[in-house]
C-alpha cells in the first residue's frame, strides 16, 4: 500500500511538471526532529541544509525534517531565528536518523562559522504575505495594564487594524472579524476577547509560536477569506521543572511546566484571572448599601504530550476562557395605612448579567510512517457561548395577608459548537518536492439566538421561548499542496483546496486553486506573486462596533449563500543576512462576494422571526500596498510597517445601492515598533502608530417627517435627523506613542522582572466615536468621545 501511495504521488507530480531528477546515483535520507536543547520544545520552520550542494529542508509544524542527499561527505547546518547555528560533518552512506538540538543565541556565539547563504532568508520562501512574530519580542513591547497581548502586537503589522482604539479586533486587508481563521493548536476560536475587547484571551506565557498569513494561503488552510492567525501552545519542558508568576494592575497569572517522565512525557499549565471584581465589589457595596456586582475574566491553558517511540507521539491540549458581569440591586421601603392600621413592605430586586466564553480541546497523534512520510491525526472540539440574563422581581407583603409576587425575566442565548476530525500528511518526496495532503470533516451546531421570556403576574403567567431554531451543518474538505523547486531561481507552492458544506437540504461545493511563487533576481531580491480563491461557510452578524460580543455566528444557507474571495498579490522581498533585517513590499487586490450586513434597524433583539429575513448580501473590494522592514534578533529588534489601502462595500439594500467606504477603511496606517536590550538587566521598548480616521454615518440636517398611527385616525409632523451617505464622514486621524521598560534581576534560584509602561504618552484625545449634538446655524455639530487618556501601568514577574 505504501508503494502504491508513493507511486501515485510521484505520477501526479510528473503531470504537474515537477521536474523530478533521475535517481541514478546512490542517495540516502537524513531525517529527525529539530528542538530546543534546554526545553525539548520542537522548533517549527527551522532550516537544515547541505551548503555544498545547496540542498535543504524546512522542519514542519512538529519540528520534523527529511533531507535526501547523494552518498558523499556532508556538512549539515541547522539554523533558526534566535538560536545559535548548529553544524556537523560526516560521510553519508546509509539512511540516517539525526535529531538536532539548538541552543538559544548568546551575546557571543560559539565558533561555528556559518555563511549568510546557509541561514533561512526571506527570498528563499515561495510563500508571501506571511509574518512570524517571536513571542519574546511580543513580551518586550509596551503593554496596556502591564500584560503583553498577542493580538495587540499583530495589530501593529501592515495590513492589520484593530477597528477601534484599544480593542482586540482584527481587520485584515479590508476584511471583517469573521473572515479571520484564528487557530489555537489547530482548533478554531470564535471569540478572542476579554473585557469587551480590551484584552485578548491569549496568555503569552502559554504560547510557543505566532504566525499570521494575510494572502497567498497554502492549500492546507480553508474556511475563511482574509487571514489565518496560527498560534501554537507550549509543549512543556521535558528536561526539568520551571514556573512563573506575574501580577499586574488588573490580572495575575501563573504557569508551570516540566517532565512527568523525563524525555518521554511533559506537561504545561497556565492560568490567568483578573481581580477587578475583588476590589470593585466592595466599592459597589460601600457606595450603594443594597447593591452588589462585579466583572471578572479568566483563561486556562493545559497541554500534555507523551512520546511512545521515535515514530509516535500523542498530544492533548485544552483551553477555556470565560467573561462574566453581574449587577444586583435591591430597593426596600415600607408604607403604613392608617385606615387599616397595617404596614405594607415593598421590595424590588433587579438582577442583570451577561457572559461569554470558549472551550476547546484537541487530541493529536503524530506518526512517522517512514523517513519521508509524516502523518498527523487530530480530533478537536470547539465551543463558544454568549448569554444575557435580566430579571425584575417585586414582593409586596402586608401584615396578615399572603405575599404578592410579580416577576418579569428575560434571557438570551446564542452559540456555536464544532466537532472535527482532521488528517495531515507531509511527504518529503525529494529535496525539490515537499508534498502536503489531507482533509477534515467538521460538524457544526449553530444556535443563532434564543430568547426566553418569563412572566409571573396576577394577570398573566407565561413561560416561553422565542427565537431561531438550531441549525446543523457538515463541512468537509480535502487538499493537495506541492512546494516545488523548479530551478535555483524558481520555487513554487501549488495547491488545490476542495470543500463543501451540507446544510438543511442544500449542498455548496467549492474548488479553490492556490498558487504562490518566487523568482530570484540577480541582486538577491526575490520577485513574488500569489493567488488564492477562498470560500467561507459561516457568517458573523455584528451588532456592535465596540468590542462587546453581541454577535451571532450563523451558517451559509440557501437564502444567505457562502462568502467567496479572490485575492492576488505581487511583491519583492529580501533578507539582509549581514544585519538580520527582512524587507518586503507587497501590492494586493481582493474582491469579496456575498458578505452580509443587517438591514437598517434590524438586530439580534428582533423577536419576530428568522434571522435570514434581517440581513442583506453584497460585495466588497480592497486593494493597497504594504511595506515592512523587520529585525527579529540582536540587541535592537522590531519593525516598521506602512499600509496604503482602500476598502469598499456595496449592498443593494443599503446606501441606495451605491458603493460606500467600509467602516474600517483606512487610507494610511503606519506602525513603528522597537525594542532595545541595554544589557542583561534592562531593555526598553517603544511604539508609534498613526492612522487615517475611521468612517462613520452621521446626520447632515433635520427634516420634517409624518407619523401615522396604526388606526389612521390621526397623524403628526416631527423633526428627525437626515443622514448623509453611509460612512461618509471621516473621524480625526489616530496616533499615539507607548513606552515600556523591563528591569531584570537574576537571583540564585529565581529571576525577577519589573515592567513599567506608559500607554498614550502625550495624552492624545483619539476619537472613539462621535455623536450628533445639535444644529447650529443650519449645520450639524458633533461631539467626540475619547476612551483612553495617558495610562501608566506596571507588573511584577518572577520565574524559577
Amino acid at each position: 500500500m505504501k508503494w502504491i501511495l508513493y507511486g501515485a504521488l510521484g505520477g501526479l507530480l510528473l503531470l504537474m511538471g515537477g521536474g523530478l531528477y533521475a535517481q541514478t546515483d546512490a542517495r540516502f535520507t537524513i531525517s529527525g526532529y529539530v528542538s530546543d536543547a534546554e526545553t525539548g520544545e520542537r522548533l517549527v520552520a527551522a532550516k537544515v541544509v547541505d551548503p555544498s550542494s545547496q540542498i535543504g529542508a524546512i522542519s514542519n509544524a512538529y519540528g520534523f525534517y527529511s533531507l535526501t542527499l547523494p552518498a558523499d561527505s556532508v556538512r549539515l547546518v541547522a539554523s533558526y531565528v534566535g538560536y545559535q547555528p548548529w553544524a556537523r560533518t560526516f560521510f553519508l552512506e546509509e539512511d540516517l536518523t539525526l535529531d538536532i538540538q539548538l541552543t538559544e543565541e548568546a551575546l557571543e556565539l560559539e565558533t561555528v562559522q556559518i555563511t549568510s547563504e546557509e541561514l533561512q532568508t526571506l527570498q528563499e520562501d515561495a510563500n508571501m504575505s506571511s509574518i512570524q512574530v517571536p513571542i519574546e519580542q511580543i513580551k518586550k513591547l509596551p503593554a496596556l495594564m502591564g500584560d503583553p497581548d498577542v493580538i495587540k502586537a499583530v495589530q501593529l503589522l501592515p495590513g492589520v487594524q484593530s477597528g477601534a482604539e484599544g480593542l482586540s479586533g482584527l481587520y485584515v486587508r479590508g476584511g471583517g472579524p469573521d473572515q479571520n481563521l484564528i487557530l489555537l493548536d489547530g482548533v478554531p476560536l470564535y471569540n478572542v476577547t476579554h473585557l469587551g475587547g480590551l484584552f485578548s484571551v491569549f496568555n503569552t506565557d502559554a504560547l510557543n509560536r505566532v504566525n499570521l498569513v494575510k494572502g497567498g494561503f497554502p492549500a492546507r488552510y480553508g474556511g475563511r477569506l482574509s487571514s489565518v492567525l496560527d498560534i501554537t501552545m507550549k509543549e512543556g519542558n521535558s528536561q526539568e521543572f520551571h514556573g512563573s508568576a506575574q501580577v499586574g494592575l488588573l490580572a495575575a497569572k501563573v504557569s508551570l511546566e516540566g517532565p512527568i517522565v523525563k524525555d518521554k512525557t511533559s506537561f504545561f499549565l497556565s492560568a490567568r484571572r483578573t481581580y477587578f471584581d475583588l476590589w470593585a465589589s466592595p466599592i459597589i457595596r460601600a457606595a450603594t448599601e443594597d447593591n452588589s456586582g462585579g466583572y471578572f475574566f479568566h483563561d486556562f491553558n493545559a497541554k500534555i504530550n507523551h512520546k511512545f517511540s521515535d515514530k509516535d507521539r500523542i498530544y492533548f491540549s485544552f483551553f477555556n476562557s470565560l467573561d462574566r458581569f453581574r449587577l444586583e440591586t435591591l430597593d426596600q421601603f415600607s408604607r403604613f395605612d392608617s385606615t387599616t392600621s397595617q404596614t405594607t413592605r415593598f421590595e424590588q430586586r433587579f438582577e442583570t448579567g451577561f457572559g461569554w466564553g470558549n472551550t476547546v480541546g484537541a487530541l493529536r497523534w503524530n506518526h512517522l510512517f517512514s523517513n519521508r512520510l509524516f502523518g498527523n491525526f487530530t480530533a478537536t472540539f470547539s465551543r463558544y457561548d454568549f448569554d444575557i440574563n435580566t430579571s425584575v422581581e417585586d414582593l409586596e407583603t402586608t401584615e396578615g395577608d399572603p405575599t404578592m409576587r410579580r416577576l418579569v425575566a428575560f434571557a438570551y442565548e446564542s452559540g456555536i459548537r464544532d466537532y472535527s476530525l482532521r488528517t495531515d500528511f507531509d511527504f518529503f518526496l525529494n529535496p525539490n518536492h515537499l508534498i502536503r495532503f489531507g482533509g477534515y470533516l467538521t460538524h457544526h451546531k449553530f444556535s443563532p439566538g434564543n430568547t426566553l421570556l418569563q412572566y409571573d403576574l396576577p394577570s398573566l403567567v407565561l413561560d416561553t421561548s422565542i427565537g431561531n431554531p438550531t441549525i446543523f451543518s457538515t463541512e468537509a474538505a480535502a487538499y493537495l499542496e506541492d512546494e516545488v523547486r523548479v530551478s535555483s531561481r524558481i520555487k513554487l507552492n501549488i495547491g488545490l483546496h476542495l470543500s463543501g458544506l451540507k446544510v438543511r437540504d442544500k449542498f455548496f461545493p467549492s474548488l479553490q486553486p492556490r498558487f504562490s511563487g518566487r523568482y530570484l533576481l540577480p541582486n538577491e531580491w526575490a520577485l513574488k506573486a500569489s493567488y488564492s480563491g477562498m470560500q467561507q461557510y459561516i457568517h458573523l452578524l455584528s451588532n456592535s462596533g465596540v468590542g462587546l460580543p453581541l454577535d451571532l455566528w450563523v451558517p451559509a444557507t440557501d437564502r444567505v449563500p457562502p462568502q467567496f474571495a479572490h485575492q492576488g498579490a505581487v511583491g519583492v522581498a529580501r533578507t539582509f543576512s549581514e544585519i538580520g533585517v527582512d524587507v518586503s513590499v507587497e501590492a494586493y487586490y481582493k474582491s469579496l462576494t456575498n458578505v452580509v450586513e443587517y438591514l437598517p434597524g434590524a438586530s439580534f433583539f428582533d423577536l419576530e422571526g428568522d434571522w435570514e429575513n434581517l440581513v442583506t448580501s453584497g460585495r466588497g473590494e480592497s486593494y493597497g500596498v504594504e511595506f515592512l522592514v523587520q529585525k527579529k534578533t540582536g540587541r535592537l529588534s522590531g519593525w516598521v510597517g506602512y499600509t496604503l489601502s482602500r476598502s469598499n462595500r456595496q449592498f443593494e439594500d443599503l446606501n441606495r445601492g451605491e458603493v460606500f467606504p467600509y467602516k474600517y477603511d483606512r487610507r494610511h496606517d503606519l506602525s513603528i515598533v522597537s525594542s532595545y536590550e541595554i544589557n542583561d538587566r534592562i531593555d526598553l521598548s517603544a511604539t508609534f502608530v498613526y492612522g487615517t480616521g475611521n468612517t462613520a454615518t452621521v446626520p447632515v440636517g433635520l427634516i420634517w417627517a409624518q407619523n401615522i398611527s396604526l388606526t389612521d385616525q390621526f397623524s403628526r409632523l416631527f423633526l428627525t435627523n437626515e443622514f448623509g451617505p453611509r460612512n461618509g464622514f471621516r473621524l480625526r486621524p489616530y496616533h499615539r506613542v507607548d513606552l515600556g521598560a523591563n528591569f531584570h534581576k537574576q537571583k540564585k534560584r529565581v529571576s525577577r522582572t519589573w515592567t513599567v509602561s506608559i500607554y498614550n504618552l502625550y495624552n492624545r484625545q483619539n476619537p472613539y466615536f462621535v455623536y450628533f449634538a445639535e444644529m447650529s446655524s443650519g449645520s450639524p455639530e458633533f461631539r467626540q468621545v475619547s476612551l483612553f487618556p495617558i495610562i501608566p501601568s506596571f507588573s511584577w514577574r518572577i520565574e524559577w
Side-chain angles (χ1 to χ4, degrees), residues 3 13 15 36 50 117 152 215 217 236 275 280 294 316 318 343 377 410 433-434 467 473 503 515 606 615 735 775 791:
W3 297 110
L13 287 172
L15 291 175
D36 184 302
D50 172 33
E117 288 77 10
K152 294 290 196 301
F217 298 96
Y275 31 75
F316 175 72
F318 176 82
T343 300
F377 308 90
F410 162 89
H433 286 276
L434 170 56
S473 67
V503 57
F515 165 83
D606 285 288
V615 300
H735 54 85
M775 295 293 295
I791 301 177

Side-chain angles (χ1 to χ4, degrees), residues 498-519:
L498 175 65
S499 66
L501 178 77
K502 177 67 168 61
V503 57
R504 295 171 178 164
D505 295 325
K506 183 74 173 178
F507 180 71
F508 297 98
S510 176
L511 188 62
Q512 306 161 36
R514 313 285 177 81
F515 165 83
S516 60
R518 63 101 167 117
Y519 177 78

Side-chain angles (χ1 to χ4, degrees), residues 126-177:
N127 295 309
M128 64 185 303
S129 307
S130 179
I131 305 172
Q132 181 181 352
V133 185
I135 293 295
E136 291 305 316
Q137 194 173 59
I138 294 174
K139 290 181 178 180
K140 293 179 181 179
L141 298 182
L144 181 63
M145 301 301 176
D147 198 354
D149 195 303
V150 168
I151 298 295
K152 294 290 196 301
V154 171
Q155 290 170 352
L156 297 172
L157 297 172
V160 185
Q161 291 187 46
S162 64
E165 180 179 21
L167 301 188
S168 296
L170 287 180
Y171 297 81
V172 181
R173 290 186 170 178

Side-chain angles (χ1 to χ4, degrees), residues 283-512:
I283 295 176
I284 294 174
R285 285 194 296 268
T288 54
E289 181 178 347
D290 295 321
N291 293 353
S292 64
Y295 165 85
F296 76 90
F297 71 75
H298 75 242
D299 47 60
F300 175 74
N301 298 76
K303 193 169 186 177
I304 186 171
N305 73 90
H306 176 71
K307 179 181 177 182
F308 288 98
S309 67
D310 291 338
K311 293 186 176 182
D312 295 279
R313 183 182 287 261
I314 193 169
Y315 301 83
F316 175 72
S317 55
F318 176 82
F319 169 77
N320 175 261
S321 69
L322 177 67
D323 286 68
R324 181 62 61 184
F325 169 79
R326 184 184 66 85
L327 178 64
E328 181 178 340
T329 65
L330 178 63
D331 291 328
Q332 303 177 85
F333 64 93
S334 299
R335 181 182 300 159
F336 177 75
D337 189 340
S338 59
T339 60
T340 61
S341 299
Q342 290 183 324
T343 300
T344 301
R345 179 180 176 83
F346 298 90
E347 180 179 306
Q348 184 179 77
R349 186 181 302 275
F350 172 78
E351 295 183 23
T352 186
F354 62 87
W356 66 95
N358 299 273
T359 300
V360 303
L363 181 63
R364 181 176 291 105
W365 170 43
N366 291 166
H367 178 67
L368 189 60
F369 289 90
S370 73
N371 55 13
R372 296 189 187 183
L373 181 61
F374 181 93
N376 182 63
F377 308 90
T378 311
T380 67
F381 168 75
S382 179
R383 184 191 73 187
Y384 167 67
D385 292 305
F386 168 67
D387 66 83
I388 302 175
N389 294 277
T390 299
S391 67
V392 179
E393 183 181 30
D394 290 312
L395 299 176
E396 182 179 328
T397 306
T398 304
E399 296 176 8
D401 294 331
T403 300
M404 180 179 293
R405 178 175 180 266
R406 291 182 292 270
L407 173 69
V408 177
F410 162 89
Y412 176 85
E413 300 173 345
S414 71
I416 180 173
R417 282 167 173 78
D418 287 350
Y419 305 86
S420 184
L421 296 174
R422 182 180 179 107
T423 179
D424 299 275
F425 292 93
D426 291 352
F427 183 39
F428 298 81
L429 183 61
N430 60 54
N432 290 329
H433 286 276
L434 170 56
I435 306 167
R436 297 182 176 95
F437 60 97
Y440 60 85
L441 181 69
T442 302
H443 178 70
H444 301 284
K445 178 185 176 182
F446 295 90
S447 302
N450 188 43
T451 303
L452 306 175
L453 300 175
Q454 183 180 1
Y455 292 88
D456 189 354
L457 306 172
S459 59
L460 174 66
V461 176
L462 176 68
D463 192 344
T464 188
S465 173
I466 303 173
N468 296 284
T470 299
I471 303 176
F472 298 94
S473 67
T474 301
E475 181 180 348
Y479 70 89
L480 176 63
E481 178 186 334
D482 181 23
E483 190 168 305
V484 52
R485 183 187 298 271
V486 178
S487 68
S488 60
R489 293 191 178 276
I490 300 175
K491 190 175 183 180
L492 307 174
N493 187 307
I494 304 172
L496 195 62
H497 187 96
L498 175 65
S499 66
L501 178 77
K502 177 67 168 61
V503 57
R504 295 171 178 164
D505 295 325
K506 183 74 173 178
F507 180 71
F508 297 98
S510 176
L511 188 62
Q512 306 161 36

Side-chain angles (χ1 to χ4, degrees), residues 28-35 42-43 46-50 57 59 62-69 74-79 86-92 94-102 307 310 368 370-372:
F28 299 103
T29 299
I30 309 169
S31 62
Y33 294 88
V34 184
S35 60
R42 301 289 172 80
L43 299 180
K47 183 179 181 182
V48 182
V49 62
D50 172 33
S59 62
Y62 298 93
F64 178 76
Y65 77 96
S66 179
L67 185 61
T68 301
L69 297 170
V74 173
R75 181 175 185 264
L76 204 63
V77 174
S79 61
W86 173 98
R88 181 173 172 181
T89 303
F90 53 91
F91 189 84
L92 183 63
E94 61 181 355
D95 289 344
L96 179 65
T97 299
L98 181 61
D99 291 337
I100 299 172
Q101 294 184 329
L102 300 183
K307 179 181 177 182
D310 291 338
L368 189 60
S370 73
N371 55 13
R372 296 189 187 183

Side-chain angles (χ1 to χ4, degrees), residues 648-686:
N648 299 319
R649 294 287 189 270
Q650 186 176 23
F651 296 84
E652 183 178 344
D653 300 313
L654 301 177
N655 201 49
R656 299 183 297 276
E658 298 176 359
V659 176
F660 60 88
Y662 184 44
K663 182 175 182 180
Y664 301 108
D665 170 60
R666 181 174 288 181
R667 198 73 62 247
H668 304 281
D669 196 359
L670 172 67
S671 298
I672 302 175
V673 180
S674 63
S675 175
Y676 183 70
E677 184 179 342
I678 297 177
N679 51 45
D680 292 339
R681 291 175 292 124
I682 302 175
D683 58 76
L684 307 176
S685 60

